[in-house]
Amino acid sequence: MKAFATGYKGLISGLFFVVALVLLLLSGSSTTFLIGDWTEKVFLTYDAAWRGVLYLALFAAALFFLGRVSKVEAFIRRVNDEPDLYAKWQVGLLGVGTVLAILWVYGNQIVPEQDQLYVMQAADHLNVGNYEDFQPGGYLSMYPNQTGLLLLELLLTKLFGGMNYVVFEAMNGEAYIATLLLLPALAGKLGATPFEKLMTLLAGLFTLPLLFYTSFQYGNLLGLALALGAMYFELNYVEHHRVRDLVLTVLLIVVASAVKNNYLIFLVAIVLHALAEALRKKQVRNALLAVLVIAVYALQSWGTTAALEHKTGGDLSNGVSTMAFVAMGLQVNPVKCDGWYNEFNKESYIESGYDAEKQGVLAKQSISDSVAYLKSPGNAGRFFLRKNASQWADPLFQSLWTSQVRQTQNERPGWLQRVLSPKGSTALGQFLDVLQFWAYAGALFYLIFGRKKEGFFESLLLQITVLGGFVFHCVWEAKGQYTISYFVLLLPLAVLGFDALLSWIAEKVQDRTFGKERKGDYVKTGVLAAVLLLLVLLPLTHSFDCLSEGNAAFATYLGR
């Protein structure tokens, strides 16, 4: 169905273009830093968009001229033509990632606190027949969404003993390496050459927050690796229709969503892409994947809940209302930042006598109050600019915070202490801020110059996932630890985007073919110019002043 494919492609890529442009504007106008203590205060600081554009132009020019050096051209050809050479470089880069993971995991043996600790303790309690966590007011009774992570912790408890933090961190290290391996694999499904796949792997290595999250024992990295694997096998299944790919897609995304419910957005994206491919190719087998994903996830969710309720005698159907999280995500928060955690979900649940229905009434009233406040365009603009900058313009994605505020089982080495210090983490954040800006820009380049490339329709799977994550976290609780999972999906698109841009420039300059693509060349040039002008001029308006309100406070924090 050509008409459907064209319309669907235009709709998703058009909406994604708007989101990518917003992210680029936020990253170019502001840089977010977090205070390294339990207040979790967010600093929104000024960033010069013109400087970001200048760095971007210099980077693109360097890539363009470097790619024309004869030795570099020869190396790229060899990587693309010789599988053994590609494999050697891939193993080498993965080896670097492995060394980094070992250094970070074993040099930073974090003792978990809060939710991570509560789930571990619940697993220990369950293992010895203590069911207090499932009774009214107990942790699992309040947060039944943690049952998937609980089962994983229960398995680890039986295999390695209770409260064995380092085992979970080592698993995170393995998930980190799996993520580095899967990113170029996904890029390959989108039409990337072997060299572009290596660049995607390199981009993953430079995304240091992934490495830093190996210390976070909360299922984020495990879920990400599983979800990326599900995406890869879905694209395989749509192409080859092998039963193995079908089974792996369903298994991986269901487990990812069980371990960490945030990956339900990935699950929905996988379902939508399967249905879109079923309509585009007129193949019922693709729709079967969507049906199985929904059915198996529902069965897993029902089965886990029923089994735990039967064993413990608890009620897992009356936990904290999801509306409370939405209410919290729409509340002004002067302590941390708008839409961040403020305990409303927990406090309103206790106030309601652990009754989700009564809490829902309180949450809806809070949402009504927030909507009334946000009806003012000025209030809405300020709120959503601050909220989204706090979670999408943080180059560290809150990854060092969990290490800065928690104790370790070991004495941290000196180099790690320097990384975690206010000045060390700030310097690292400033470096990663440039890379984050390039990633957002590269995704836009892909939309402008790569629309006709092989694999663009397949890339809609990644695009709709990021789109869903952006919309979801506009209303849900804000945290950089959530948005990092979507940022990672931009890396293959960014690599392909820079390649598409540079290939287009090379073709127009060397072959002097500008304007021969009918209106296409003028449209692409016009859109690129408009994006760059908007990026430089829009932050100069007073509406963006709220993105630099933390300048003075952050300077004081660094100087104390």
Side-chain angles (χ1 to χ4, degrees):
M1 298 176 65
K2 188 175 181 179
F4 168 79
T6 302
Y8 182 78
K9 173 182 172 181
L11 174 65
I12 300 303
S13 62
L15 292 173
F16 181 66
F17 181 90
V18 173
V19 169
L21 179 58
V22 169
L23 296 180
L24 186 64
L25 283 167
L26 292 174
S27 178
S29 308
S30 181
T31 302
T32 296
F33 296 97
L34 262 74
I35 194 169
D37 62 32
W38 280 106
T39 61
E40 206 175 5
K41 180 176 176 57
V42 172
F43 298 107
L44 300 178
T45 67
Y46 173 77
D47 200 350
W50 64 265
R51 186 170 53 217
V53 173
L54 176 61
Y55 290 162
L56 180 65
L58 292 174
F59 179 63
L63 290 178
F64 180 82
F65 290 109
L66 189 63
R68 265 104 206 117
V69 175
S70 58
K71 290 185 178 180
V72 175
E73 284 184 313
F75 174 73
I76 293 174
R77 281 196 300 270
R78 285 190 60 203
V79 171
N80 288 333
D81 295 339
E82 301 176 22
D84 289 344
L85 181 60
Y86 168 79
K88 288 179 181 178
W89 275 92
Q90 181 188 47
V91 170
L93 291 175
L94 288 174
V96 172
T98 301
V99 171
L100 291 175
I102 291 172
L103 287 173
W104 190 266
V105 167
Y106 293 102
N108 190 41
Q109 299 174 34
I110 292 292
V111 177
E113 296 187 41
Q114 295 183 316
D115 293 286
Q116 304 97 66
L117 177 62
Y118 302 151
V119 177
M120 285 188 175
Q121 289 175 335
D124 272 1
H125 293 164
L126 185 60
N127 198 38
V128 296
N130 179 350
Y131 306 139
E132 63 182 33
D133 298 290
F134 295 86
Q135 305 311 310
Y139 183 76
L140 270 301
S141 176
M142 293 179 66
Y143 303 107
N145 59 297
Q146 303 282 31
T147 53
L149 185 58
L150 171 74
L151 293 182
L152 174 61
E153 294 280 14
L154 188 62
L155 175 62
L156 295 180
T157 296
K158 291 184 178 297
L159 291 175
F160 302 102
M163 310 302 288
N164 198 331
Y165 318 134
V166 180
V167 169
F168 202 117
E169 292 172 9
M171 286 180 59
N172 278 341
E174 294 169 357
Y176 168 67
I177 299 303
T179 298
L180 294 180
L181 186 62
L182 285 163
L183 283 173
L186 271 174
K189 303 306 294 183
L190 308 184
T193 64
F195 180 75
E196 290 165 351
K197 289 166 65 176
L198 280 183
M199 293 301 99
T200 304
L201 175 52
L202 188 61
L205 274 174
F206 273 107
T207 306
L208 294 176
L210 284 175
L211 171 68
F212 301 151
Y213 268 117
T214 56
S215 298
F216 195 50
Q217 303 133 13
Y218 205 37
N220 297 54
L221 268 185
L222 294 175
L224 176 61
L226 292 167
L228 292 178
M231 286 180 156
Y232 172 77
F233 286 112
E234 178 184 28
L235 295 177
N236 260 353
Y237 176 74
V238 168
E239 182 179 2
H240 303 294
H241 293 109
R242 291 190 294 253
V243 174
R244 178 192 66 187
D245 295 324
L246 174 66
V247 172
L248 287 172
T249 301
V250 174
L251 178 65
L252 292 176
I253 194 57
V254 167
V255 175
S257 302
V259 169
K260 195 66 179 167
N261 280 179
N262 299 66
Y263 291 102
L264 281 171
I265 293 177
F266 284 68
L267 184 148
V268 171
I270 283 173
V271 168
L272 290 177
H273 188 74
L275 294 175
E277 287 286 27
L279 290 172
R280 181 170 79 112
K281 297 182 177 180
K282 299 181 180 180
Q283 294 175 335
V284 178
R285 288 177 292 183
N286 293 334
L288 174 63
L289 186 150
V291 172
L292 284 176
V293 166
I294 295 172
V296 174
Y297 178 77
L299 182 63
Q300 173 275 138
S301 182
W302 171 82
T304 299
T305 300
L308 287 172
E309 286 183 337
H310 177 74
K311 182 175 182 62
T312 66
D315 180 8
L316 297 179
S317 64
N318 193 38
V320 172
S321 170
T322 55
M323 296 300 293
F325 286 91
V326 175
M328 184 167 61
L330 292 175
Q331 291 173 353
V332 174
N333 187 334
V335 177
K336 297 179 181 178
C337 194
D338 296 342
W340 278 62
Y341 183 77
N342 61 7
E343 295 193 341
F344 174 83
N345 57 340
K346 177 183 177 181
E347 292 176 353
S348 60
Y349 186 64
I350 296 173
E351 180 183 341
S352 303
Y354 305 113
D355 188 316
E357 187 174 343
K358 291 181 180 179
Q359 184 193 26
V361 174
L362 295 178
K364 289 176 182 177
Q365 181 57 54
S366 174
I367 292 171
S368 296
D369 294 342
S370 296
V371 169
Y373 171 78
L374 294 172
K375 281 183 179 179
S376 164
N379 291 342
R382 173 182 169 83
F383 180 89
F384 288 111
L385 278 173
R386 283 168 49 83
K387 180 178 182 180
N388 282 307
S390 71
Q391 55 185 342
W392 292 98
D394 176 2
L396 287 165
F397 290 97
Q398 203 182 358
S399 57
L400 291 182
W401 178 82
T402 189
S403 296
Q404 289 170 325
V405 300
R406 289 175 171 83
Q407 300 299 313
T408 59
Q409 293 189 117
N410 64 311
E411 182 178 347
R412 289 188 175 113
W415 65 268
L416 206 154
Q417 293 180 33
R418 289 190 290 274
V419 168
L420 296 177
S421 69
K423 291 185 179 179
S425 60
T426 300
L428 187 59
Q430 290 169 337
F431 167 71
L432 293 175
D433 181 49
V434 177
L435 303 185
Q436 182 190 66
F437 185 80
W438 289 350
Y440 290 146
L444 271 174
F445 293 158
Y446 182 63
L447 295 173
I448 298 171
F449 299 97
R451 290 182 62 85
K452 295 183 180 180
K453 297 284 186 178
E454 177 189 357
F456 189 85
F457 195 91
E458 287 74 12
S459 78
L460 297 179
L461 171 59
L462 280 65
Q463 294 182 39
I464 199 171
T465 307
V466 177
L467 180 60
F470 178 84
V471 172
F472 180 74
H473 285 289
C474 276
V475 297
W476 198 260
E477 175 192 359
K479 271 187 185 294
Q481 71 185 47
Y482 300 143
T483 52
I484 178 67
S485 299
Y486 307 102
F487 176 79
V488 166
L489 297 180
L490 298 177
L491 299 181
L493 304 183
V495 170
L496 291 170
F498 273 103
D499 176 73
L501 168 67
L502 297 177
S503 297
W504 181 79
I505 293 175
E507 178 187 347
K508 304 309 169 184
V509 172
Q510 293 179 355
D511 300 336
R512 298 181 180 180
T513 59
F514 185 84
K516 294 184 179 180
E517 194 183 327
R518 296 184 180 181
K519 296 180 180 180
D521 289 336
Y522 297 103
V523 170
K524 292 173 182 176
T525 304
V527 171
L528 178 60
V531 166
L532 296 178
L533 281 173
L534 190 65
L535 183 60
V536 172
L537 298 178
L538 190 59
L540 299 178
T541 65
H542 290 299
S543 58
F544 274 63
D545 290 349
C546 63
L547 298 184
S548 57
E549 290 178 340
N551 284 348
F554 186 60
T556 302
Y557 166 65
L558 289 180
R560 71 186 186 188

